[in-house]
Amino acid sequence: MLDVTVIEDPEAAAVSLDPTRARLLAELASAPASAAMLAGRVGLPRQKVNYHLKALERHGLVELAGERRKGNVTERLMRATAASYVISPLALAAVQPDPDRFRDQLSARWLLALGARLVRDVGTLITGAAKARKRLATYALDGEVRFASAADRAAFVQELTAGVSALIRKYDAPDAEGGRDHRIVVAVHPTVKDRPTVDDRVAAEGRAAVTGRAAVDGRSEPADDRTIARDRRPARDHTSVRERSAPELDPQ
């Protein structure tokens, strides 16, 4: 099973977006299962689950993991072909974003168009590499920084632009025979806060209930830390940068 794969076919994208089929994909990403096993989990008849599984299999989203005998019946155990899926802009080719149509380094929508092109291009390269049975040489860097002020952020962007531009000028060899063009995308955007989980919401409701009881009892002081869990963020590791590189040959 792949960690992540890109869906490029419009029909496969439509199949994956169906809520029931998306639920089945999630179940099969954790462990292989038969239609009968899945029926109890998703609350549907086995025949209906089998119908959805055939549609997913037809588009390469699930595959046969094995078979097992159960009485006089042979059950097919299916599994997802990937742990997660990304839909490529190629699935909406007629209206896919085009970063070259409007270039604005300070535009969030242009950044979004760049991200969409990145998904499209890397997805296409992964498909080509798989067919050629070669690894794809890529590199990614992901980090996080807190700016003390907008002025610091602007200065950081200026230094980043100057540094990357200098590297491009240093290593760019447009006339090199046998060379291959590479695309460089650098993005800076605010960090998105994690959405609260079910456990977080339950804990929050519990804290609210405790505070409410304190008010009803006539106590003016808040409940102490032993009763109410305070949010303490772990210390930030400014040197934490995640990198991944596969140094094998690209498919041509």
Side-chain angles (χ1 to χ4, degrees), residues 44-82:
L44 290 174
R46 180 184 59 81
Q47 294 84 352
K48 192 71 172 179
V49 171
N50 200 42
Y51 166 77
H52 289 305
L53 288 178
K54 287 182 178 179
L56 291 169
E57 185 179 16
R58 204 162 44 241
H59 291 93
L61 301 175
V62 302
E63 61 187 2
L64 182 66
E67 296 180 339
R68 71 174 185 177
R69 292 285 297 178
K70 191 173 183 180
N72 296 325
V73 178
T74 300
E75 288 188 336
R76 303 175 78 231
L77 296 175
M78 307 301 294
R79 67 183 174 194
T81 54

mmCIF file of all heavy atoms in Angstrom, residues 44-82:
data_model
loop_
_atom_site.group_PDB
_atom_site.id
_atom_site.type_symbol
_atom_site.label_atom_id
_atom_site.label_comp_id
_atom_site.label_asym_id
_atom_site.label_seq_id
_atom_site.Cartn_x
_atom_site.Cartn_y
_atom_site.Cartn_z
ATOM 1 N N LEU A 44 -24.726 -1.061 6.160
ATOM 2 C CA LEU A 44 -25.356 -1.283 4.858
ATOM 3 C C LEU A 44 -25.438 -2.778 4.577
ATOM 4 O O LEU A 44 -24.641 -3.557 5.114
ATOM 5 C CB LEU A 44 -24.553 -0.603 3.748
ATOM 6 C CG LEU A 44 -24.554 0.923 3.691
ATOM 7 C CD1 LEU A 44 -23.587 1.397 2.606
ATOM 8 C CD2 LEU A 44 -25.954 1.457 3.424
ATOM 9 N N PRO A 45 -26.374 -3.211 3.728
ATOM 10 C CA PRO A 45 -26.428 -4.628 3.331
ATOM 11 C C PRO A 45 -25.139 -5.023 2.612
ATOM 12 O O PRO A 45 -24.505 -4.199 1.946
ATOM 13 C CB PRO A 45 -27.641 -4.694 2.403
ATOM 14 C CG PRO A 45 -28.460 -3.486 2.734
ATOM 15 C CD PRO A 45 -27.487 -2.432 3.141
ATOM 16 N N ARG A 46 -24.775 -6.290 2.734
ATOM 17 C CA ARG A 46 -23.546 -6.770 2.104
ATOM 18 C C ARG A 46 -23.565 -6.547 0.598
ATOM 19 O O ARG A 46 -22.550 -6.192 -0.003
ATOM 20 C CB ARG A 46 -23.369 -8.263 2.405
ATOM 21 C CG ARG A 46 -22.098 -8.859 1.783
ATOM 22 C CD ARG A 46 -22.023 -10.350 2.032
ATOM 23 N NE ARG A 46 -23.171 -11.047 1.480
ATOM 24 C CZ ARG A 46 -23.285 -11.385 0.174
ATOM 25 N NH1 ARG A 46 -22.329 -11.046 -0.685
ATOM 26 N NH2 ARG A 46 -24.350 -12.009 -0.250
ATOM 27 N N GLN A 47 -24.736 -6.764 -0.035
ATOM 28 C CA GLN A 47 -24.830 -6.594 -1.487
ATOM 29 C C GLN A 47 -24.539 -5.145 -1.896
ATOM 30 O O GLN A 47 -23.891 -4.888 -2.911
ATOM 31 C CB GLN A 47 -26.226 -7.001 -1.990
ATOM 32 C CG GLN A 47 -26.539 -8.474 -1.833
ATOM 33 C CD GLN A 47 -27.061 -8.815 -0.449
ATOM 34 O OE1 GLN A 47 -27.046 -7.974 0.455
ATOM 35 N NE2 GLN A 47 -27.547 -10.050 -0.290
ATOM 36 N N LYS A 48 -25.020 -4.214 -1.072
ATOM 37 C CA LYS A 48 -24.784 -2.804 -1.377
ATOM 38 C C LYS A 48 -23.305 -2.461 -1.213
ATOM 39 O O LYS A 48 -22.722 -1.733 -2.029
ATOM 40 C CB LYS A 48 -25.619 -1.937 -0.423
ATOM 41 C CG LYS A 48 -25.688 -0.478 -0.810
ATOM 42 C CD LYS A 48 -26.534 -0.270 -2.055
ATOM 43 C CE LYS A 48 -26.751 1.208 -2.330
ATOM 44 N NZ LYS A 48 -27.547 1.428 -3.563
ATOM 45 N N VAL A 49 -22.683 -2.991 -0.167
ATOM 46 C CA VAL A 49 -21.257 -2.758 0.041
ATOM 47 C C VAL A 49 -20.456 -3.345 -1.111
ATOM 48 O O VAL A 49 -19.518 -2.728 -1.614
ATOM 49 C CB VAL A 49 -20.801 -3.358 1.380
ATOM 50 C CG1 VAL A 49 -19.274 -3.311 1.498
ATOM 51 C CG2 VAL A 49 -21.435 -2.626 2.546
ATOM 52 N N ASN A 50 -20.843 -4.542 -1.542
ATOM 53 C CA ASN A 50 -20.141 -5.191 -2.648
ATOM 54 C C ASN A 50 -20.244 -4.363 -3.927
ATOM 55 O O ASN A 50 -19.280 -4.264 -4.702
ATOM 56 C CB ASN A 50 -20.726 -6.587 -2.868
ATOM 57 C CG ASN A 50 -19.774 -7.488 -3.627
ATOM 58 O OD1 ASN A 50 -18.564 -7.496 -3.385
ATOM 59 N ND2 ASN A 50 -20.311 -8.237 -4.572
ATOM 60 N N TYR A 51 -21.391 -3.736 -4.139
ATOM 61 C CA TYR A 51 -21.586 -2.855 -5.306
ATOM 62 C C TYR A 51 -20.599 -1.684 -5.264
ATOM 63 O O TYR A 51 -19.961 -1.354 -6.270
ATOM 64 C CB TYR A 51 -23.028 -2.359 -5.331
ATOM 65 C CG TYR A 51 -23.283 -1.206 -6.267
ATOM 66 C CD1 TYR A 51 -23.399 -1.405 -7.644
ATOM 67 C CD2 TYR A 51 -23.396 0.094 -5.769
ATOM 68 C CE1 TYR A 51 -23.631 -0.332 -8.501
ATOM 69 C CE2 TYR A 51 -23.616 1.168 -6.621
ATOM 70 C CZ TYR A 51 -23.735 0.949 -7.981
ATOM 71 O OH TYR A 51 -23.952 2.008 -8.834
ATOM 72 N N HIS A 52 -20.469 -1.065 -4.095
ATOM 73 C CA HIS A 52 -19.551 0.063 -3.956
ATOM 74 C C HIS A 52 -18.093 -0.385 -4.107
ATOM 75 O O HIS A 52 -17.276 0.321 -4.707
ATOM 76 C CB HIS A 52 -19.741 0.734 -2.598
ATOM 77 C CG HIS A 52 -21.030 1.495 -2.480
ATOM 78 N ND1 HIS A 52 -21.394 2.481 -3.366
ATOM 79 C CD2 HIS A 52 -22.036 1.412 -1.564
ATOM 80 C CE1 HIS A 52 -22.570 2.991 -3.015
ATOM 81 N NE2 HIS A 52 -22.983 2.351 -1.925
ATOM 82 N N LEU A 53 -17.770 -1.550 -3.580
ATOM 83 C CA LEU A 53 -16.398 -2.061 -3.678
ATOM 84 C C LEU A 53 -16.013 -2.314 -5.134
ATOM 85 O O LEU A 53 -14.878 -2.042 -5.533
ATOM 86 C CB LEU A 53 -16.248 -3.339 -2.861
ATOM 87 C CG LEU A 53 -16.254 -3.177 -1.337
ATOM 88 C CD1 LEU A 53 -16.148 -4.550 -0.666
ATOM 89 C CD2 LEU A 53 -15.120 -2.276 -0.874
ATOM 90 N N LYS A 54 -16.948 -2.810 -5.917
ATOM 91 C CA LYS A 54 -16.656 -3.064 -7.335
ATOM 92 C C LYS A 54 -16.372 -1.750 -8.065
ATOM 93 O O LYS A 54 -15.500 -1.693 -8.939
ATOM 94 C CB LYS A 54 -17.819 -3.812 -7.975
ATOM 95 C CG LYS A 54 -17.919 -5.268 -7.552
ATOM 96 C CD LYS A 54 -19.070 -5.978 -8.262
ATOM 97 C CE LYS A 54 -19.121 -7.447 -7.864
ATOM 98 N NZ LYS A 54 -20.249 -8.164 -8.512
ATOM 99 N N ALA A 55 -17.113 -0.708 -7.716
ATOM 100 C CA ALA A 55 -16.870 0.599 -8.333
ATOM 101 C C ALA A 55 -15.490 1.128 -7.949
ATOM 102 O O ALA A 55 -14.748 1.654 -8.795
ATOM 103 C CB ALA A 55 -17.956 1.583 -7.910
ATOM 104 N N LEU A 56 -15.115 0.983 -6.683
ATOM 105 C CA LEU A 56 -13.791 1.426 -6.229
ATOM 106 C C LEU A 56 -12.681 0.609 -6.887
ATOM 107 O O LEU A 56 -11.642 1.156 -7.274
ATOM 108 C CB LEU A 56 -13.702 1.300 -4.711
ATOM 109 C CG LEU A 56 -14.578 2.264 -3.893
ATOM 110 C CD1 LEU A 56 -14.600 1.854 -2.429
ATOM 111 C CD2 LEU A 56 -14.061 3.695 -4.037
ATOM 112 N N GLU A 57 -12.915 -0.694 -7.020
ATOM 113 C CA GLU A 57 -11.903 -1.555 -7.639
ATOM 114 C C GLU A 57 -11.749 -1.230 -9.116
ATOM 115 O O GLU A 57 -10.633 -1.257 -9.665
ATOM 116 C CB GLU A 57 -12.293 -3.018 -7.451
ATOM 117 C CG GLU A 57 -11.247 -4.003 -7.959
ATOM 118 C CD GLU A 57 -11.647 -5.445 -7.735
ATOM 119 O OE1 GLU A 57 -12.854 -5.707 -7.468
ATOM 120 O OE2 GLU A 57 -10.777 -6.325 -7.831
ATOM 121 N N ARG A 58 -12.849 -0.904 -9.768
ATOM 122 C CA ARG A 58 -12.808 -0.597 -11.198
ATOM 123 C C ARG A 58 -11.933 0.607 -11.485
ATOM 124 O O ARG A 58 -11.314 0.699 -12.554
ATOM 125 C CB ARG A 58 -14.248 -0.346 -11.669
ATOM 126 C CG ARG A 58 -14.477 -0.569 -13.146
ATOM 127 C CD ARG A 58 -15.936 -0.745 -13.501
ATOM 128 N NE ARG A 58 -16.811 0.209 -12.848
ATOM 129 C CZ ARG A 58 -17.784 -0.139 -12.006
ATOM 130 N NH1 ARG A 58 -17.995 -1.400 -11.706
ATOM 131 N NH2 ARG A 58 -18.560 0.784 -11.461
ATOM 132 N N HIS A 59 -11.821 1.496 -10.536
ATOM 133 C CA HIS A 59 -11.029 2.711 -10.734
ATOM 134 C C HIS A 59 -9.690 2.657 -10.003
ATOM 135 O O HIS A 59 -9.019 3.680 -9.832
ATOM 136 C CB HIS A 59 -11.830 3.928 -10.288
ATOM 137 C CG HIS A 59 -13.000 4.228 -11.173
ATOM 138 N ND1 HIS A 59 -14.265 3.745 -10.936
ATOM 139 C CD2 HIS A 59 -13.091 4.947 -12.320
ATOM 140 C CE1 HIS A 59 -15.085 4.163 -11.880
ATOM 141 N NE2 HIS A 59 -14.406 4.902 -12.732
ATOM 142 N N GLY A 60 -9.303 1.481 -9.554
ATOM 143 C CA GLY A 60 -7.980 1.305 -8.978
ATOM 144 C C GLY A 60 -7.813 1.880 -7.582
ATOM 145 O O GLY A 60 -6.677 2.096 -7.140
ATOM 146 N N LEU A 61 -8.904 2.111 -6.879
ATOM 147 C CA LEU A 61 -8.810 2.676 -5.535
ATOM 148 C C LEU A 61 -8.711 1.596 -4.458
ATOM 149 O O LEU A 61 -8.217 1.854 -3.361
ATOM 150 C CB LEU A 61 -10.006 3.588 -5.260
ATOM 151 C CG LEU A 61 -10.142 4.770 -6.239
ATOM 152 C CD1 LEU A 61 -11.413 5.555 -5.961
ATOM 153 C CD2 LEU A 61 -8.932 5.680 -6.160
ATOM 154 N N VAL A 62 -9.206 0.407 -4.757
ATOM 155 C CA VAL A 62 -9.032 -0.747 -3.871
ATOM 156 C C VAL A 62 -8.562 -1.917 -4.722
ATOM 157 O O VAL A 62 -8.725 -1.936 -5.942
ATOM 158 C CB VAL A 62 -10.333 -1.124 -3.114
ATOM 159 C CG1 VAL A 62 -10.840 0.043 -2.292
ATOM 160 C CG2 VAL A 62 -11.408 -1.604 -4.080
ATOM 161 N N GLU A 63 -7.976 -2.903 -4.064
ATOM 162 C CA GLU A 63 -7.451 -4.066 -4.773
ATOM 163 C C GLU A 63 -7.630 -5.314 -3.920
ATOM 164 O O GLU A 63 -7.861 -5.236 -2.705
ATOM 165 C CB GLU A 63 -5.965 -3.869 -5.093
ATOM 166 C CG GLU A 63 -5.092 -3.708 -3.862
ATOM 167 C CD GLU A 63 -3.663 -3.351 -4.191
ATOM 168 O OE1 GLU A 63 -3.353 -3.190 -5.383
ATOM 169 O OE2 GLU A 63 -2.849 -3.237 -3.244
ATOM 170 N N LEU A 64 -7.508 -6.456 -4.574
ATOM 171 C CA LEU A 64 -7.659 -7.729 -3.874
ATOM 172 C C LEU A 64 -6.437 -7.989 -3.004
ATOM 173 O O LEU A 64 -5.300 -7.958 -3.471
ATOM 174 C CB LEU A 64 -7.839 -8.865 -4.885
ATOM 175 C CG LEU A 64 -8.065 -10.259 -4.311
ATOM 176 C CD1 LEU A 64 -9.391 -10.325 -3.565
ATOM 177 C CD2 LEU A 64 -8.019 -11.308 -5.424
ATOM 178 N N ALA A 65 -6.685 -8.252 -1.722
ATOM 179 C CA ALA A 65 -5.593 -8.549 -0.791
ATOM 180 C C ALA A 65 -5.478 -10.043 -0.526
ATOM 181 O O ALA A 65 -4.442 -10.515 -0.078
ATOM 182 C CB ALA A 65 -5.811 -7.811 0.534
ATOM 183 N N GLY A 66 -6.553 -10.788 -0.804
ATOM 184 C CA GLY A 66 -6.539 -12.228 -0.565
ATOM 185 C C GLY A 66 -7.953 -12.765 -0.532
ATOM 186 O O GLY A 66 -8.938 -12.026 -0.698
ATOM 187 N N GLU A 67 -8.064 -14.053 -0.327
ATOM 188 C CA GLU A 67 -9.363 -14.709 -0.239
ATOM 189 C C GLU A 67 -9.383 -15.643 0.959
ATOM 190 O O GLU A 67 -8.337 -16.118 1.407
ATOM 191 C CB GLU A 67 -9.665 -15.493 -1.515
ATOM 192 C CG GLU A 67 -9.801 -14.634 -2.758
ATOM 193 C CD GLU A 67 -10.092 -15.448 -4.009
ATOM 194 O OE1 GLU A 67 -9.790 -16.669 -4.000
ATOM 195 O OE2 GLU A 67 -10.610 -14.882 -4.981
ATOM 196 N N ARG A 68 -10.592 -15.889 1.471
ATOM 197 C CA ARG A 68 -10.721 -16.827 2.581
ATOM 198 C C ARG A 68 -12.046 -17.567 2.461
ATOM 199 O O ARG A 68 -13.033 -17.024 1.963
ATOM 200 C CB ARG A 68 -10.634 -16.117 3.933
ATOM 201 C CG ARG A 68 -11.842 -15.256 4.270
ATOM 202 C CD ARG A 68 -11.744 -14.699 5.678
ATOM 203 N NE ARG A 68 -12.957 -13.965 6.043
ATOM 204 C CZ ARG A 68 -13.159 -13.418 7.234
ATOM 205 N NH1 ARG A 68 -12.213 -13.480 8.159
ATOM 206 N NH2 ARG A 68 -14.290 -12.787 7.505
ATOM 207 N N ARG A 69 -12.056 -18.804 2.894
ATOM 208 C CA ARG A 69 -13.258 -19.621 2.878
ATOM 209 C C ARG A 69 -14.054 -19.394 4.147
ATOM 210 O O ARG A 69 -13.512 -19.380 5.247
ATOM 211 C CB ARG A 69 -12.900 -21.096 2.764
ATOM 212 C CG ARG A 69 -12.286 -21.497 1.439
ATOM 213 C CD ARG A 69 -13.300 -21.563 0.332
ATOM 214 N NE ARG A 69 -14.327 -22.577 0.567
ATOM 215 C CZ ARG A 69 -15.356 -22.790 -0.267
ATOM 216 N NH1 ARG A 69 -15.473 -22.065 -1.371
ATOM 217 N NH2 ARG A 69 -16.246 -23.733 0.007
ATOM 218 N N LYS A 70 -15.342 -19.181 4.006
ATOM 219 C CA LYS A 70 -16.243 -19.060 5.136
ATOM 220 C C LYS A 70 -17.478 -19.890 4.834
ATOM 221 O O LYS A 70 -18.384 -19.459 4.122
ATOM 222 C CB LYS A 70 -16.614 -17.592 5.377
ATOM 223 C CG LYS A 70 -17.346 -17.376 6.696
ATOM 224 C CD LYS A 70 -17.543 -15.894 6.970
ATOM 225 C CE LYS A 70 -18.208 -15.683 8.329
ATOM 226 N NZ LYS A 70 -18.409 -14.239 8.612
ATOM 227 N N GLY A 71 -17.490 -21.121 5.362
ATOM 228 C CA GLY A 71 -18.543 -22.066 5.020
ATOM 229 C C GLY A 71 -18.396 -22.492 3.579
ATOM 230 O O GLY A 71 -17.319 -22.941 3.148
ATOM 231 N N ASN A 72 -19.454 -22.348 2.819
ATOM 232 C CA ASN A 72 -19.420 -22.699 1.396
ATOM 233 C C ASN A 72 -19.124 -21.491 0.504
ATOM 234 O O ASN A 72 -19.253 -21.576 -0.718
ATOM 235 C CB ASN A 72 -20.769 -23.322 0.979
ATOM 236 C CG ASN A 72 -21.023 -24.625 1.700
ATOM 237 O OD1 ASN A 72 -20.087 -25.387 1.975
ATOM 238 N ND2 ASN A 72 -22.292 -24.901 2.009
ATOM 239 N N VAL A 73 -18.746 -20.378 1.131
ATOM 240 C CA VAL A 73 -18.524 -19.140 0.386
ATOM 241 C C VAL A 73 -17.056 -18.736 0.463
ATOM 242 O O VAL A 73 -16.419 -18.869 1.504
ATOM 243 C CB VAL A 73 -19.412 -18.001 0.954
ATOM 244 C CG1 VAL A 73 -19.156 -16.701 0.208
ATOM 245 C CG2 VAL A 73 -20.876 -18.384 0.875
ATOM 246 N N THR A 74 -16.532 -18.256 -0.657
ATOM 247 C CA THR A 74 -15.181 -17.694 -0.688
ATOM 248 C C THR A 74 -15.292 -16.175 -0.664
ATOM 249 O O THR A 74 -15.847 -15.563 -1.577
ATOM 250 C CB THR A 74 -14.418 -18.135 -1.951
ATOM 251 O OG1 THR A 74 -14.312 -19.560 -1.973
ATOM 252 C CG2 THR A 74 -13.026 -17.525 -1.974
ATOM 253 N N GLU A 75 -14.788 -15.576 0.405
ATOM 254 C CA GLU A 75 -14.851 -14.124 0.551
ATOM 255 C C GLU A 75 -13.600 -13.471 -0.019
ATOM 256 O O GLU A 75 -12.493 -13.966 0.177
ATOM 257 C CB GLU A 75 -14.985 -13.731 2.033
ATOM 258 C CG GLU A 75 -16.328 -14.033 2.623
ATOM 259 C CD GLU A 75 -16.467 -13.459 4.023
ATOM 260 O OE1 GLU A 75 -15.435 -13.251 4.683
ATOM 261 O OE2 GLU A 75 -17.603 -13.213 4.447
ATOM 262 N N ARG A 76 -13.806 -12.391 -0.733
ATOM 263 C CA ARG A 76 -12.687 -11.604 -1.244
ATOM 264 C C ARG A 76 -12.319 -10.533 -0.223
ATOM 265 O O ARG A 76 -13.163 -9.726 0.168
ATOM 266 C CB ARG A 76 -13.035 -10.946 -2.586
ATOM 267 C CG ARG A 76 -13.456 -11.923 -3.649
ATOM 268 C CD ARG A 76 -13.903 -11.194 -4.909
ATOM 269 N NE ARG A 76 -12.773 -10.709 -5.693
ATOM 270 C CZ ARG A 76 -12.633 -9.472 -6.130
ATOM 271 N NH1 ARG A 76 -13.537 -8.556 -5.818
ATOM 272 N NH2 ARG A 76 -11.598 -9.121 -6.864
ATOM 273 N N LEU A 77 -11.080 -10.523 0.208
ATOM 274 C CA LEU A 77 -10.602 -9.510 1.138
ATOM 275 C C LEU A 77 -9.984 -8.370 0.329
ATOM 276 O O LEU A 77 -9.036 -8.578 -0.428
ATOM 277 C CB LEU A 77 -9.564 -10.096 2.095
ATOM 278 C CG LEU A 77 -10.074 -11.202 3.032
ATOM 279 C CD1 LEU A 77 -8.917 -11.780 3.830
ATOM 280 C CD2 LEU A 77 -11.152 -10.669 3.948
ATOM 281 N N MET A 78 -10.534 -7.169 0.487
ATOM 282 C CA MET A 78 -10.076 -6.017 -0.277
ATOM 283 C C MET A 78 -9.278 -5.080 0.623
ATOM 284 O O MET A 78 -9.452 -5.054 1.844
ATOM 285 C CB MET A 78 -11.284 -5.272 -0.868
ATOM 286 C CG MET A 78 -12.237 -6.147 -1.669
ATOM 287 S SD MET A 78 -11.427 -6.976 -3.068
ATOM 288 C CE MET A 78 -11.010 -5.562 -4.091
ATOM 289 N N ARG A 79 -8.414 -4.303 0.005
ATOM 290 C CA ARG A 79 -7.660 -3.284 0.739
ATOM 291 C C ARG A 79 -7.543 -2.041 -0.140
ATOM 292 O O ARG A 79 -7.611 -2.124 -1.372
ATOM 293 C CB ARG A 79 -6.268 -3.796 1.099
ATOM 294 C CG ARG A 79 -5.358 -4.029 -0.099
ATOM 295 C CD ARG A 79 -4.030 -4.600 0.329
ATOM 296 N NE ARG A 79 -3.214 -4.944 -0.842
ATOM 297 C CZ ARG A 79 -2.124 -5.705 -0.792
ATOM 298 N NH1 ARG A 79 -1.730 -6.198 0.368
ATOM 299 N NH2 ARG A 79 -1.434 -5.967 -1.905
ATOM 300 N N ALA A 80 -7.358 -0.908 0.491
ATOM 301 C CA ALA A 80 -7.155 0.333 -0.259
ATOM 302 C C ALA A 80 -5.774 0.307 -0.904
ATOM 303 O O ALA A 80 -4.831 -0.270 -0.369
ATOM 304 C CB ALA A 80 -7.291 1.537 0.669
ATOM 305 N N THR A 81 -5.654 0.920 -2.060
ATOM 306 C CA THR A 81 -4.356 0.956 -2.742
ATOM 307 C C THR A 81 -3.430 2.004 -2.128
ATOM 308 O O THR A 81 -2.241 2.023 -2.434
ATOM 309 C CB THR A 81 -4.545 1.253 -4.240
ATOM 310 O OG1 THR A 81 -5.315 2.448 -4.393
ATOM 311 C CG2 THR A 81 -5.268 0.100 -4.929
ATOM 312 N N ALA A 82 -3.977 2.886 -1.279
ATOM 313 C CA ALA A 82 -3.153 3.907 -0.619
ATOM 314 C C ALA A 82 -3.780 4.254 0.723
ATOM 315 O O ALA A 82 -4.976 4.046 0.939
ATOM 316 C CB ALA A 82 -3.036 5.161 -1.489
#
